[in-house]
Amino acid sequence: MKRAIRAAPGPLPVLGLLLLGALPGLWTVLLRRQAAAQPVPELRPPAGLSPRRWVSFGGGGQKTSRALLAVPTAAAGRRERGGEGGLAATSSPPPAAASPVERGIFWSRELEERVPPGFPAEEAAAWLSAARAARVASLERGGCGRSSNRLARLSDGSRACVRYGINPEQIQGETLSYHLAGVLGMQERLPPMALALVEARGRQWEPVQEELRGSHWVEGAVVSLTRWVDNLTAVVAPAPWGAGRRLQPLSAGELSGMSLSQLVELVQWSDLILFDYLTANFDRLVSNLFSLQWDPRVMRRATSNLLRTPDGGLVFMDNEAGLVHGYRLLAMWDPYNEPLLRSLCVFRAGTARRVAELYRRRSAAAELRRRLRAREPLWPRLGFLSERQAELLQARVDFVHRHITHCLAQ
């Protein structure tokens, strides 16, 4: 009996089996192509958390124990407003927005670029040149502080505050403070200032001889001409300095939740506090702190001798209490000035660099003298710091440098 011999399968059934086995792979490829063609959904911060505070701290940057606030980038701002732009991939965390602080204690370059320009060097030099050459067309009372001061209208149409010191050291302090700000790289925050010699029969003052007689100014006195600035408004101290008796430290960890405009103002405040410590100026925020013992609400009121321009720039006004007068009263005012400086642990990198140079070269008074002699023709009429005052300036520079170094090491 013959065994039945099975025929070998034909080519069509084999081909069908091969196609059936390949279907899962083809289906996977099609799904991947479809997913790649669809836009990636935009990632959003968790509910209840502001986009400004939703920050990735990954990456190879310097680690710090401080929590750094991220200022939204332009692209992030467009997404918040519903504009164009989205994340290109979800395989890695979203890129962190720029932090307002670099290396733990320095304001970021991006944030510093947002600070209003103030009084640029070229513009200030042009005004000073014109003011020295102009004649005083009129003198008016009011608008410039003490009753002995006057608002002057110059022959070129500009206006200036003419400050007549109760004693010469006030004009000296105003002048030295202005040029120390130049040494520190923050002179754009102070209105341009030049010295003038009161001479009733001189060319500059001849048109206002009658007004001079009514002012009771002494012939030959040295006064300061400070550029008049319109549309200035009062400034109230921000946190942490406006909180009351106990100063809260300002460091990178305390910046969380602040708006861009608040951060821009704090950049300027950091220079102001450092500047007022170096000059021992007690006639600004320090005087408010002193007044807390009588007036618990004084920190909620305007800060003395500090004003704001419409674009948000701070103007450091009336610095006549600095250096000379302030150095005579250190025992009274340093218990307020020093804690104020210690409350600050975020600085402009340029300011810290200049302080470090003055510390390393032991040259604070020498740099100030060099700048004063080069830029103020009447400086010999007022003189310069005494040897003791020059030592005090260098000692305060050293203290500021050590404080910055301490903040950096934390």
Side-chain angles (χ1 to χ4, degrees), residues 250-264:
L250 177 67
S251 60
E254 279 68 49
L255 302 179
S256 178
M258 292 189 179
S259 67
L260 179 59
S261 62
Q262 289 174 313
L263 292 170
V264 166

PDB file of all heavy atoms in Angstrom, residues 250-264:
ATOM      1  N   LEU A 250      18.888  90.789  52.187  1.00  0.00           N
ATOM      2  CA  LEU A 250      18.577  90.654  50.771  1.00  0.00           C
ATOM      3  C   LEU A 250      19.650  89.793  50.136  1.00  0.00           C
ATOM      4  O   LEU A 250      20.786  90.212  49.962  1.00  0.00           O
ATOM      5  CB  LEU A 250      18.528  92.019  50.081  1.00  0.00           C
ATOM      6  CG  LEU A 250      18.287  91.939  48.570  1.00  0.00           C
ATOM      7  CD1 LEU A 250      16.883  91.405  48.280  1.00  0.00           C
ATOM      8  CD2 LEU A 250      18.489  93.281  47.902  1.00  0.00           C
ATOM      9  N   SER A 251      19.303  88.563  49.827  1.00  0.00           N
ATOM     10  CA  SER A 251      20.194  87.650  49.123  1.00  0.00           C
ATOM     11  C   SER A 251      19.379  86.981  48.029  1.00  0.00           C
ATOM     12  O   SER A 251      18.190  87.244  47.868  1.00  0.00           O
ATOM     13  CB  SER A 251      20.782  86.609  50.085  1.00  0.00           C
ATOM     14  OG  SER A 251      19.744  85.854  50.689  1.00  0.00           O
ATOM     15  N   ALA A 252      20.024  86.120  47.255  1.00  0.00           N
ATOM     16  CA  ALA A 252      19.351  85.509  46.109  1.00  0.00           C
ATOM     17  C   ALA A 252      18.093  84.764  46.528  1.00  0.00           C
ATOM     18  O   ALA A 252      17.095  84.746  45.814  1.00  0.00           O
ATOM     19  CB  ALA A 252      20.316  84.559  45.388  1.00  0.00           C
ATOM     20  N   GLY A 253      18.121  84.147  47.719  1.00  0.00           N
ATOM     21  CA  GLY A 253      16.977  83.365  48.163  1.00  0.00           C
ATOM     22  C   GLY A 253      15.746  84.174  48.486  1.00  0.00           C
ATOM     23  O   GLY A 253      14.651  83.626  48.574  1.00  0.00           O
ATOM     24  N   GLU A 254      15.895  85.488  48.655  1.00  0.00           N
ATOM     25  CA  GLU A 254      14.761  86.338  49.010  1.00  0.00           C
ATOM     26  C   GLU A 254      14.124  87.003  47.794  1.00  0.00           C
ATOM     27  O   GLU A 254      13.270  87.878  47.948  1.00  0.00           O
ATOM     28  CB  GLU A 254      15.207  87.426  49.997  1.00  0.00           C
ATOM     29  CG  GLU A 254      15.294  86.942  51.440  1.00  0.00           C
ATOM     30  CD  GLU A 254      16.401  85.951  51.644  1.00  0.00           C
ATOM     31  OE1 GLU A 254      17.532  86.224  51.203  1.00  0.00           O
ATOM     32  OE2 GLU A 254      16.147  84.886  52.231  1.00  0.00           O
ATOM     33  N   LEU A 255      14.537  86.634  46.585  1.00  0.00           N
ATOM     34  CA  LEU A 255      14.032  87.298  45.384  1.00  0.00           C
ATOM     35  C   LEU A 255      12.828  86.596  44.770  1.00  0.00           C
ATOM     36  O   LEU A 255      12.255  87.074  43.804  1.00  0.00           O
ATOM     37  CB  LEU A 255      15.148  87.387  44.334  1.00  0.00           C
ATOM     38  CG  LEU A 255      16.421  88.116  44.774  1.00  0.00           C
ATOM     39  CD1 LEU A 255      17.450  88.107  43.658  1.00  0.00           C
ATOM     40  CD2 LEU A 255      16.104  89.538  45.204  1.00  0.00           C
ATOM     41  N   SER A 256      12.450  85.467  45.343  1.00  0.00           N
ATOM     42  CA  SER A 256      11.367  84.686  44.766  1.00  0.00           C
ATOM     43  C   SER A 256      10.062  85.467  44.758  1.00  0.00           C
ATOM     44  O   SER A 256       9.680  86.090  45.752  1.00  0.00           O
ATOM     45  CB  SER A 256      11.182  83.389  45.551  1.00  0.00           C
ATOM     46  OG  SER A 256      10.110  82.638  45.040  1.00  0.00           O
ATOM     47  N   GLY A 257       9.386  85.440  43.614  1.00  0.00           N
ATOM     48  CA  GLY A 257       8.078  86.064  43.486  1.00  0.00           C
ATOM     49  C   GLY A 257       8.109  87.536  43.148  1.00  0.00           C
ATOM     50  O   GLY A 257       7.055  88.147  43.001  1.00  0.00           O
ATOM     51  N   MET A 258       9.280  88.130  43.028  1.00  0.00           N
ATOM     52  CA  MET A 258       9.363  89.559  42.702  1.00  0.00           C
ATOM     53  C   MET A 258       9.206  89.784  41.202  1.00  0.00           C
ATOM     54  O   MET A 258       9.683  88.989  40.383  1.00  0.00           O
ATOM     55  CB  MET A 258      10.688  90.150  43.178  1.00  0.00           C
ATOM     56  CG  MET A 258      10.831  90.225  44.683  1.00  0.00           C
ATOM     57  SD  MET A 258      12.299  91.151  45.176  1.00  0.00           S
ATOM     58  CE  MET A 258      12.147  91.060  46.966  1.00  0.00           C
ATOM     59  N   SER A 259       8.566  90.889  40.861  1.00  0.00           N
ATOM     60  CA  SER A 259       8.377  91.224  39.448  1.00  0.00           C
ATOM     61  C   SER A 259       9.674  91.785  38.873  1.00  0.00           C
ATOM     62  O   SER A 259      10.606  92.132  39.603  1.00  0.00           O
ATOM     63  CB  SER A 259       7.256  92.253  39.303  1.00  0.00           C
ATOM     64  OG  SER A 259       7.654  93.488  39.875  1.00  0.00           O
ATOM     65  N   LEU A 260       9.699  91.901  37.555  1.00  0.00           N
ATOM     66  CA  LEU A 260      10.885  92.433  36.899  1.00  0.00           C
ATOM     67  C   LEU A 260      11.156  93.867  37.337  1.00  0.00           C
ATOM     68  O   LEU A 260      12.299  94.250  37.599  1.00  0.00           O
ATOM     69  CB  LEU A 260      10.716  92.366  35.375  1.00  0.00           C
ATOM     70  CG  LEU A 260      11.877  92.919  34.540  1.00  0.00           C
ATOM     71  CD1 LEU A 260      13.162  92.174  34.844  1.00  0.00           C
ATOM     72  CD2 LEU A 260      11.543  92.833  33.053  1.00  0.00           C
ATOM     73  N   SER A 261      10.111  94.687  37.436  1.00  0.00           N
ATOM     74  CA  SER A 261      10.311  96.079  37.850  1.00  0.00           C
ATOM     75  C   SER A 261      10.846  96.163  39.269  1.00  0.00           C
ATOM     76  O   SER A 261      11.672  97.033  39.588  1.00  0.00           O
ATOM     77  CB  SER A 261       9.001  96.862  37.732  1.00  0.00           C
ATOM     78  OG  SER A 261       8.011  96.314  38.596  1.00  0.00           O
ATOM     79  N   GLN A 262      10.417  95.279  40.156  1.00  0.00           N
ATOM     80  CA  GLN A 262      10.942  95.260  41.514  1.00  0.00           C
ATOM     81  C   GLN A 262      12.420  94.891  41.523  1.00  0.00           C
ATOM     82  O   GLN A 262      13.221  95.492  42.253  1.00  0.00           O
ATOM     83  CB  GLN A 262      10.152  94.272  42.374  1.00  0.00           C
ATOM     84  CG  GLN A 262       8.741  94.715  42.711  1.00  0.00           C
ATOM     85  CD  GLN A 262       7.958  93.642  43.442  1.00  0.00           C
ATOM     86  OE1 GLN A 262       7.956  92.478  43.046  1.00  0.00           O
ATOM     87  NE2 GLN A 262       7.281  94.025  44.515  1.00  0.00           N
ATOM     88  N   LEU A 263      12.790  93.911  40.715  1.00  0.00           N
ATOM     89  CA  LEU A 263      14.192  93.500  40.646  1.00  0.00           C
ATOM     90  C   LEU A 263      15.064  94.610  40.094  1.00  0.00           C
ATOM     91  O   LEU A 263      16.173  94.861  40.589  1.00  0.00           O
ATOM     92  CB  LEU A 263      14.315  92.238  39.790  1.00  0.00           C
ATOM     93  CG  LEU A 263      13.709  90.966  40.376  1.00  0.00           C
ATOM     94  CD1 LEU A 263      13.671  89.856  39.333  1.00  0.00           C
ATOM     95  CD2 LEU A 263      14.489  90.511  41.600  1.00  0.00           C
ATOM     96  N   VAL A 264      14.573  95.303  39.065  1.00  0.00           N
ATOM     97  CA  VAL A 264      15.337  96.408  38.472  1.00  0.00           C
ATOM     98  C   VAL A 264      15.574  97.499  39.519  1.00  0.00           C
ATOM     99  O   VAL A 264      16.662  98.089  39.580  1.00  0.00           O
ATOM    100  CB  VAL A 264      14.598  96.962  37.243  1.00  0.00           C
ATOM    101  CG1 VAL A 264      15.174  98.306  36.811  1.00  0.00           C
ATOM    102  CG2 VAL A 264      14.672  95.972  36.088  1.00  0.00           C
TER     103      VAL A 264
END
